[in-house]
Amino acid sequence: MSQVGTAAGWEPTIVAFCCNWCSYAGADLAGISRLAYPASLRIIRVPCSGRVNPHFVLRAFQRGADGVLVAGCHPGDCHYTTGNYFTRRRYLLMQRLLEYAGVNPGRFEVKWISGSEGPKFAQAAREITARVRALGPNREMRDEA
Amino acid sequence: MRRIGVFVCWCGANIGGKVNVPAVVEAARTFPNVVYAEDNKYTCSEPGQAAIRSKVTELKLDRVVVASCSPRMHELTFQKTVETVGVNPFLFEMANIREHCSWCTPDKAAATEKAIALVRTAVAKAVMNDPLQPFPIPVTPRALVIGGGIAGIQAALDVADTGIETVLVERDPSIGGVMAQLDKTFPTLDCSACILTPKMVDLARHPKVRLMSYAEVEEVKGFIGNFQVKVRRKARYVDLKNCKGCGDCAAVCPVKVPSEYEAGLGPRTAIYRPFPQAVPGAFTIDKAERPPCVRTCPAGVNAQGYVALVSQGKFKEALAVEKRQNPFPSICGRVCNHPCETECNRGQVDVPVSICAIKRFIADTVYADGSEEPVLPASAKDERVAVVGSGPAGLACAHSLALEGYPVTVFEALPKPGGMLRYGIPEYRLPKAVLDREIDQVRQLGVEIQTNAALGKDFSLTDLKARGYAAVFIATGAHKGQSMGVPGEDATGCVDGITFLRDVGLGKPMDLDGRVVVVGGGNTAVDAARSALRLGARDVIILYRRTRAEMPANSWEVDEAVHEGVKLHLLAAPVAVTVRNGRVAGLKCIRMELGEPDASGRRRPVPIAGSEFDLPAEYVVTAVSQSPDTGFADGVLELRRGGIIAANPVTLQTSVPGVFAGGDAVKGPATVVEAIADGNRAANAIGLYLRAEAPEASAAALADQPQTGKPFTIPKDVAKVPRAVMPTLELSRRRRNFTEVELGLDAEAAMAEAARCLNCGICCECRECERACEPKCIDHSMQDETETIEVGSIIVATGFKPMDPVAYGEYGYRRYPDVITSLEFERMCGASGPTSGQILRPSTGKPPHTVLFIQCVGSRDEGKRGHQYCSKTCCMYTAKHAELVMDRVPGATTYVCYMDVRTPGKGYEEFYRRTSEEYGARYIRGRVAKVQPNGDGLRVRVEDTLAGRPLDVQVDLVVLATAMEPQADSMDLARVLKVGYDADGFFTEAHPKLRPVETNTGGIFLAGTCQGPKDIPETVAQASAAAVKAVALLSKDKLLASPIVSYVNETLCAGDFFCQPICPYGAIEEKELAERIAGRPVTRKVASVNTGLCQGCGACTVACRSGAINLKGYTNEQLLAEVDAVCLK
Amino acid sequence: MTETVRLTGQGLEQLLGAAAGATGGLVAPVTEDGQVLFRPVREARRFDYINAVTPPKDFWFPQTERLFKFKTVPAVALEQAADPAQRVVFGVRPCDLKSLVILDAVMATGEFEDDYYAQQRSATTVIGVACTGAGPHCFCTAMGVTPGDEAGADLMLYPDGDGFLGRAVTGRGAALTAAHAGCFAAADPAAVAAAAAAARKLVPPLAGRLDVDGLRERFADNWDSHIWGEAAQRCLGCGLCTYLCPTCYCFGVSDEVRQGQGVRMRCWDSCMFSDFVRMAGGHNPRPGKLERVRQRFLHKLRYFPARHAELACTGCGRCVAKCPVGVHVPELIMLDREAR
Amino acid sequence: MKDNTAPLRDKARALLADKAACVIGHARDRDGLRARPHFAKDERGVGALILDATCHHNLAKYLLDYPYLEAKVGIVLKGCDALALERLVADRRVDRAKVVPIGAPCAGMADPVKLQALFPGGVTAVASGPDGFTVTTAAGRQPPAPRAGLLLERCQACHQATPPDTELLAEPVAAPTVGPAAEVARISALPPADRLSFWQGQFSRCIRCYACRNVCPACSCRECVFDQFQPNWLGRRTGLAQTQVFHLTRAFHVAGRCVDCGECDRVCPVGLPLSALNRKLLQDAGELFKLAEPWRPGTTEPLGTYKLDDPEEFM
């Protein structure tokens, strides 16, 4: 379990959109289980990963997020039955479009994390943070205004 | 400007230990729109809530942000708090700085920084929050309980007792569940049935309960208070109302399968009642999908049915079953190519059942003893039908029509009826006497057979019409032998196989002296060859251009031919008939080799250049192919290539209305059973035609019925039994005569052979039950029915299943008969069980002296084979089992191998103490490593971890305390219900402590072991709790629904309805909007949200490019504000 | 240093190099992906171009201009943007030079002086370069501008063989020549005048096809003409013409506030956008394409001249070249002619 | 395309005689080279209609200007334009019953820039065939010009030469496909850093005039998100990140819905290769979700449905 100190220079900002029923609960469980992960990952609660408009992802990058995670229930487990299947399609395309536009695909991720997968949530948080930290600050889409 | 108050919680040290709370408060004060911030030790406590209330009032706060734990924990708490002081609950916002911050961030500075960011984000969202009002939805005052185990029974009774209508859906024929299978219950050792069955009866009699047994929930639509549940009521085939439960039906049922209720330890019949106290008490017929033998038979003859009856010695009943689809069992029992045997599932165990031999046995036996019960034709009808051709197709058709009461005349061109049966199949395979007997039976039904009457020669189709025949069935067969197309075929001594066999059949005197070469590889060739041998040929050779494997003839016929001395000359083809003085002198042949596969999938024979050779012969029989002789068609009937008659494949009607055709005349050369199938089909079609049914209706009536019912799985532990051998005539007695070669099975052999049947269809549809049932409440044609019921609440009580311990190979379950599961043991203890309550070793049927119980089989196992969880009940029931052994088998020794003994329950520890201390059960702490047979018993190796040494224990019986598992299809049901389930497949409760019987889906509650392993008292308590929850919901007229729903900005909505297919609830509807454009009234379509259906997922919002559809509580504005705030460094 | 100068090719490079090295830097036409654009550059080379795809307007009237920053917490406080640094814009053609005269008339003359614009203007030294050829879409002379006009330039250059003849038109221009005296040689004023006169004689072909007799009078009484409908039905309603127009100056002011930190800025707007004059509450005085197209062209050819005595079109031809559906000033002039 | 002017005028006359409100087609622009959209409402208007290889405008979106019309509207549609009509119909923005689609089989359009370079004096008609272009000028018919020299770039990857479901003015023609558009493959093959700088270089030229959006038949919102102030999805501020978000969002909004008519490329005043974004999404949607590319009528919108076994390549 690695915890990166905040003193060690630049830390990325990761925005995580978590669906209320699975991934947000998974993040709660990670906390309840006292699983440490980098503090630079911050969660925005949405009812369903299907609520996450790709524009929100672009907005996060534009506002200087260095990485974005969209987390939802496992396919087949959506509280709303099918929301995450649409999420999957949207972000399969989005990921490729970002890459095509020159945004490093490592900055963006979709994960299926259930309410019982606290360790998986913590692991996902550590992984994306480590990856984005290695990529450095988002210079691809940051709005310098 | 907003007036936001921020309250940051220490949560004691939970937050305060990692987050610098005062720093967060300080930062919050600098956020725009924040007019006040403070910290509290425990914001959720009454003083904390009081602080919020007083500050809201004092400072006129219009929004409140609490930074504390997860909103999943306390959002509702604080929403209620602010509501009491006049702030709309949806103007409250929460920052999760505990689960998402202090608990997962060891570094204090980082945690503080993150907490500030999370509070900033919550404030940013709160700024954009709008007040929302829950809206009322009506409630259907009816509850549904899924599952009729003790949990479902208790829940249903509790709900119904409040006067609310309750529907209980149970998928098995009876309610009762696993508890009904138990003998005694711990720790009181009271009889399970004694406490359960009264409740079952109460339920059945309760005026407010509707019991839907043998039914399953297929689909759930709607939402809390308003569910529409589609229930499939499986066909019971027994009228529930009229069945008296007398059991006469089961007494005559010939099919035995393992009883589920007896955990496989005993059999039950296909028509059954799971146990005597079952509720409802009616019987049920268990049908699987059509068995492969029936499915494969072209005529759909119910092979399983007559085989099952033979196994019971019911021969005449078997014959009746046989004759439903096939009027010629003694013929088919001799000459059928029996594809049923090829498909027979028994072939996957050892060898297929000898169905054809059994069929012949039935007919021969019953005909011989004259016990056949005559079938009476239906009342006579007026329309006369002509059948042209008296082969199997024509006679089968005539037989069926005659049974329906139609006067039928059969026209036969040849001197005697039977067609190819008579003139194509030699006597040694099908004695003419056998043939005549079954043709006579057709005659006895009133069918007139006119012989020497050939269509096209002696009469025409027009004549038939003129003579008043309302319909005609043409089944003239394929009697034209094809020539080989080589020079010299017209020489004397060269004849085609059809003609040859016909001459044999007509009894023309023939003396074949010399060598006969039969060209071809089909059944005609083999029949000709074997006949030739019998006619005195010195030498008979079958010349075939491919290899033995490609020969289309029945392989057993080829075997017999070779056995009798016929020689096979393979991979050679004739090039010319050598003619000397106008007589055959031999064949000029060429050798072949196999090339690429052709259209038939067989490898194409290719001549080898220069390999010609001469084959001297006195006779040549060409049996290469045959075709229908349809010269009579005369341009009136449409023909296809090869002269076959064009007929609709379903109705068999030809191009002339009222004229039908079938058999070889339509199919080309095919089998007897296919011809019979066509005859039956034609009779059906003609009946429909004569009753002037619409063509579509008749097509539907005639089409092959789709396969329904549950699939059959071959049991794993079927013992191998050799197949019956058909006795045959000694070889020496086959020369120069046509005596029948196959001699038939005797009754003992036939019954033994019939007992090999696996009963793949379960119910064999012999319909003995129908005959036995006095109130006539059995209906084999019953269909599943679906019904949609409207309920306001659903209680899920689908229970568990015991784990199959076969994965634990070291315990030897299924390999050693004396290793059984705890549920099997439970049945063994039951007074009404398979051993009448005696504890016996399955291998010997004698009481065991030493019994060893292995606990935690599949439970508390981190490996792939089992479950991590504790199944909670096994420690106690194992103690109970040990006591039962020692009570019932005097002097018996018991061992219990355990990991820990867990006894948390009232009286549990005392019970365990008694078992170990008073009864003296020997508890060994350790996992069993191996169970091995040793001498008469089993040797169990276990490490005694307390003593620190391995032990070998010699025992007579091993009982495995298997884990409780969710039902195999629990996840499917979860998806139907849209409730969550955990990694093991148990349904998840809304909150493990505070909402243990609710699910995350409003209106759906959980009871019993579908939520997790638990014992009976706990299950019953949970069931009552779920009932109260349901009643609390259903006793309201209206519910307040969450205002978190989508809404449409109609100005923006372009009406493309991309949102519509995204919505899983069908909540997006079309609405016509009237507007004035340039003074002109116009309308346009916009989306409109049905708030009763919308569940607030918001997936629609993303489909809308212009953002016209938005989600209250999670608007685009709110989420963009959150993104902006959370990204701020 | 005299008012008239000669500049060799080498001298130009020296001059531009120096400008590029200064704080505000140098803006000059460059080719990117085949498109001629004014861009801040580190070095500039002379090359042949008729004109840039986009006007240099962005450098004195930026598409997005941050006016000032502000805070709302704990109390409202403003922070003015720093004054713009001195910079040189090189290679501006006479039509775009004329646009400065027009923009100045609106924003830097008389009662309402726009500080932000004025600051940008005074910080910018504009080096004009006379045309040596006309593109198929140019029609400046029809709008009263010639390819040799110097109005709007600080320093005007006329191509002369390898180098240029030039004249410092304004004090800023004179200051430039003075500051970089080493780059320039003195030139005979007569030679410069002759070069200017020669450049002024060039007539773009499209201008020759336009009948502009009585243009202002004609456009003063064609409000009800069917020509507006003709043109408007093709219009896509995009802002291409206004954003490419060197003289269009409409803008909107908005704030971006995040967490109490705000920026006030003004951004170009376009009268061709349907929401341009939409008011709070939804009323739109120019609801259709017809009204918007009419507004745009009447503004260029009638309202602006009425107030400022100048046509608000310099004939740069960008709208002619780029409007995907052929709605532009010459089109309207021709439509009007035909309608009479 | 053949010069179909004469049959078009006949058809237009017939339609107007049959009380059609208007026939939307093309006329020769005043520069004597290009065509421009033209709305024929009377005999004079019919006389100005032309239909040849200069008529590259996709007119379908003009149908949005006729939303509540009682009468029918005739409209000239090439293959790609006909898909645009289907797009608008599928988006329920145009009532197909009100439209009389006049189909113009098209063997490729002439590039006006190349045309101007070859015939600065203007043209009267340009016909295209499988072998090349036949240009007629005031001086008469010119010798045939080879295809490669004049063909509009977007027509090189033509996927729909003959307009489906229209009344054809001429015999169907084969698509003149030279090969698939190479731009997407070229950009995809760039190293990531170069890809970023490529797109940033392109986007830096964007002036946000929204011509690409306004011409796009898949962009038919009543009010575009980029024009909305509440919520402030983007705002009117310019800047590289803003422009990136604009173009990527727009590309995503037409993801898999694009009919690949290439009009965005044509109208862009600063030459952005916008269709390379849309084509990329079409290709990806096609590959990931196994769809026909480009969008075809009757197919489900790729983001409006799902399959249980959709790939999960990075989840």
Side-chain angles (χ1 to χ4, degrees), chain C residues 2-332:
Chain C
T2 60
E3 205 180 66
T4 51
V5 292
R6 175 178 293 283
L7 190 59
T8 61
Q10 205 186 356
L12 177 70
E13 275 182 34
Q14 234 180 335
L15 172 72
L16 297 181
T23 343
L26 170 68
V27 173
V30 292
T31 308
E32 272 183 24
D33 285 322
Q35 313 273 338
V36 179
L37 300 163
F38 282 98
R39 290 288 209 193
V41 289
R42 301 299 307 157
E43 55 181 40
R45 288 190 172 275
R46 179 184 175 184
F47 69 99
D48 278 334
Y49 65 98
I50 299 292
N51 206 346
V53 177
T54 50
K57 181 167 74 171
D58 204 22
F59 296 98
W60 38 82
F61 177 50
Q63 185 160 7
T64 297
E65 186 167 24
R66 287 157 187 79
L67 305 178
F68 54 83
K69 293 183 180 171
F70 60 88
K71 287 181 185 167
T72 62
V73 278
V76 174
L78 301 191
E79 184 194 332
Q80 283 294 349
D83 289 348
Q86 293 289 325
R87 82 173 143 204
V88 173
V89 178
F90 168 74
V92 182
R93 294 300 190 188
C95 50
D96 290 341
L97 291 173
K98 180 62 182 283
S99 76
L100 278 165
V101 176
I102 290 165
L103 294 178
D104 285 353
V106 180
M107 298 207 276
T109 315
E111 204 179 337
F112 303 107
E113 184 169 294
D114 184 305
D115 276 352
Y116 297 97
Y117 177 79
Q119 278 177 14
Q120 293 280 7
R121 279 292 275 130
S122 62
T124 306
T125 305
V126 179
I127 304 179
V129 177
C131 302
T132 51
H137 310 303
C138 295
F139 62 102
C140 57
T141 56
M143 295 291 105
V145 183
T146 80
D149 284 0
E150 61 181 25
D154 293 310
L155 172 65
M156 186 67 192
L157 299 178
Y158 302 95
D160 180 52
D162 261 358
F164 295 92
L165 290 166
R167 199 175 84 81
V169 185
T170 64
R172 269 199 304 274
L176 183 78
T177 54
H180 302 281
C183 305
F184 296 95
D188 178 2
V192 175
R200 283 190 197 109
K201 286 207 184 94
L202 193 66
V203 177
L206 176 55
R209 292 169 53 207
L210 292 181
D211 174 5
V212 291
D213 277 352
L215 187 64
R216 297 182 201 188
E217 293 73 28
R218 275 157 51 192
F219 275 78
D221 78 341
N222 66 357
W223 170 269
D224 294 324
S225 171
H226 67 84
I227 66 169
W228 305 116
E230 285 282 317
Q233 64 186 356
R234 297 204 293 273
C235 178
L236 293 177
C238 71
L240 180 149
C241 50
T242 55
Y243 286 0
L244 291 185
C245 180
T247 69
C248 273
Y249 53 79
C250 289
F251 60 79
V253 173
S254 55
D255 291 348
E256 266 187 20
V257 197
R258 298 219 303 274
Q259 290 297 308
Q261 311 277 324
V263 181
R264 174 156 301 175
M265 62 202 153
R266 65 174 176 201
C267 304
W268 293 353
D269 202 346
S270 170
C271 57
M272 303 309 289
F273 290 153
S274 59
D275 59 3
F276 180 67
V277 285
R278 188 174 62 195
M279 300 172 187
H283 176 63
N284 193 334
R286 292 201 283 271
K289 290 197 288 187
L290 184 146
E291 292 84 2
R292 296 193 284 271
V293 166
R294 179 166 61 195
Q295 164 65 21
R296 177 158 198 273
F297 292 100
L298 286 183
H299 183 254
K300 295 279 180 214
L301 304 176
R302 175 178 160 185
Y303 311 143
F304 195 90
R307 178 177 285 224
H308 298 288
E310 294 267 17
L311 291 167
C313 171
T314 69
C316 74
R318 288 186 177 92
C319 53
V320 187
K322 293 297 184 183
C323 176
V325 291
V327 180
H328 43 73
V329 173
E331 169 71 10
L332 267 297

Side-chain angles (χ1 to χ4, degrees), chain B residues 502-540:
Chain B
R502 186 190 304 144
D503 290 348
V504 173
L506 285 168
K508 286 195 185 172
M510 259 188 271
D511 195 9
L512 303 177
D513 188 14
R515 174 186 275 178
V516 178
V517 176
V518 181
V519 182
N523 281 326
T524 305
V526 177
D527 284 349
R530 292 179 69 187
S531 295
L533 267 185
R534 283 166 170 76
L535 290 167
R538 174 167 41 87
D539 197 5
V540 179

Side-chain angles (χ1 to χ4, degrees), chain B residues 128 1051-1058 1061-1062 1070 1075 1077 1080 1082-1085 1105-1107 1116-1117 1120, chain D residues 68-70 87 90-93 218 220-223 225 228 230-233 253-254 257 301 303-305:
Chain B
M128 309 302 291
T1051 309
L1052 285 181
C1053 178
D1056 66 19
F1057 293 97
F1058 275 53
I1062 309 282
E1070 291 186 19
E1075 289 179 329
I1077 298 289
R1080 204 158 62 93
V1082 294
T1083 57
R1084 66 182 173 95
K1085 291 267 176 69
R1105 299 182 298 282
S1106 62
N1116 292 326
E1117 290 83 345
L1120 286 171
Chain D
Y68 302 111
L69 215 57
E70 303 289 330
R87 172 78 271 157
D91 293 348
R92 299 173 62 163
R93 299 290 275 133
S220 56
C221 289
R222 283 169 65 85
E223 183 174 307
V225 278
Q228 293 171 19
Q230 191 58 257
N232 186 6
W233 294 95
H253 280 183
V254 303
R257 303 171 54 248
E301 307 303 333
L303 295 180
T305 184

Side-chain angles (χ1 to χ4, degrees), chain A residues 13-67:
Chain A
T13 301
I14 315 281
V15 179
F17 294 95
C18 289
C19 83
N20 183 45
W21 306 101
C22 285
S23 305
Y24 194 93
D28 277 359
L29 183 58
I32 293 165
S33 317
R34 306 301 197 276
L35 301 174
Y37 57 86
S40 45
L41 182 133
R42 281 141 205 200
I43 293 171
I44 292 177
R45 180 162 70 135
V46 287
C48 174
S49 63
R51 174 66 187 97
V52 184
N53 195 319
H55 197 112
F56 300 159
V57 175
L58 294 176
R59 173 74 151 237
F61 282 125
Q62 187 193 350
R63 292 293 190 243
D66 303 299

Side-chain angles (χ1 to χ4, degrees), chain D residues 76-120:
Chain D
V76 175
L77 302 169
K78 301 182 295 297
C80 42
D81 311 339
L83 292 180
L85 169 64
E86 298 298 344
R87 172 78 271 157
L88 290 163
V89 170
D91 293 348
R92 299 173 62 163
R93 299 290 275 133
V94 168
D95 178 1
R96 212 179 193 290
K98 293 284 172 61
V99 179
V100 182
I102 304 169
C106 168
M109 287 282 131
D111 186 332
V113 177
K114 294 170 183 164
L115 205 56
Q116 182 170 32
L118 287 172
F119 304 98

Side-chain angles (χ1 to χ4, degrees), chain B residues 89-153:
Chain B
F90 294 90
L91 297 175
F92 167 80
E93 203 53 52
M94 206 156 169
N96 182 346
I97 61 168
R98 192 178 76 172
E99 283 84 345
H100 290 187
C101 185
S102 69
W103 278 356
C104 57
T105 314
D107 182 88
K108 192 161 181 178
T112 305
E113 193 193 337
K114 182 173 183 178
I116 291 171
L118 294 178
V119 174
R120 183 170 61 224
T121 306
V123 170
K125 185 180 183 197
V127 170
M128 309 302 291
N129 284 7
D130 289 315
L132 303 176
Q133 301 298 339
F135 49 87
I137 45 173
V139 177
T140 308
R142 187 179 298 117
L144 168 69
V145 178
I146 308 175
I150 180 59
I153 292 170

